[in-house]
Amino acid sequence: MRNESFFEKVYDVVKQIPAGRVTSYGAIAEYLGSRGSARMVGWAMNKSHIHPDIPAHRVVNRKGMLTGKNHFGSPNIMSELLENEGIKVQNDRIIEFEKLFWDPGRHLH
DNA sequence: TCAGTGACTGACC
DNA sequence: GGGTCAGCCACTG
């Protein structure tokens, strides 16, 4: 049903990302059937503050870089949240991003 | 309705 | 990995 907006679906996926794992905007967009609309996912994250439990820090770009850290109020919050979950962050980039990558299309098939 | 905006991505270097 | 360019599309005013 389309009772949910595009970003409502995005939140539904993001909330299912397990702790200690990360995914990319493009992966979520692709899972929602809007491949190439990764910007919409990032845009949805921008408004995720209206939702209580959106682990937006577990969503990064396809290179594993914390491009959205600037939207957490303070640039260091995002990396601290990730490190708190056991994810190593160095120079605004997730170490071993490929190993920690969580594909919604594979887990939520 | 139209134009602006953007937490991206792929191509290229 | 990182900068630039162009395409992408849902939402806002």
Side-chain angles (χ1 to χ4, degrees), chain A residues 5-40:
Chain A
S5 301
F6 180 83
F7 51 82
E8 291 285 346
K9 298 178 185 174
V10 174
Y11 300 150
D12 190 47
V13 175
V14 175
K15 281 191 285 190
Q16 297 182 65
I17 302 174
R21 303 296 297 277
V22 294
T23 190
S24 69
Y25 304 95
I28 296 174
E30 186 175 31
Y31 173 73
L32 295 178
S34 298
R35 192 178 184 286
S37 304
R39 306 186 83 171
M40 303 301 92

Side-chain angles (χ1 to χ4, degrees), chain A residues 52-107:
Chain A
D53 292 318
I54 305 295
H57 60 281
R58 293 179 191 148
V59 185
V60 297
N61 70 2
R62 78 174 203 80
K63 286 189 168 81
M65 301 183 353
L66 283 52
T67 52
K69 66 169 191 171
N70 229 1
H71 293 259
F72 280 80
S74 191
N76 62 312
I77 295 179
M78 189 172 187
S79 59
E80 286 187 8
L81 286 171
L82 290 171
E83 290 180 342
N84 192 28
E85 296 180 353
I87 300 176
K88 300 177 202 165
V89 179
Q90 192 169 79
N91 199 20
D92 298 340
R93 178 172 158 272
I94 294 176
I95 305 301
E96 295 179 319
F97 172 64
E98 295 179 1
K99 293 169 110 179
L100 299 173
F101 184 74
W102 182 83
D103 187 357
R106 190 164 61 107
H107 292 263

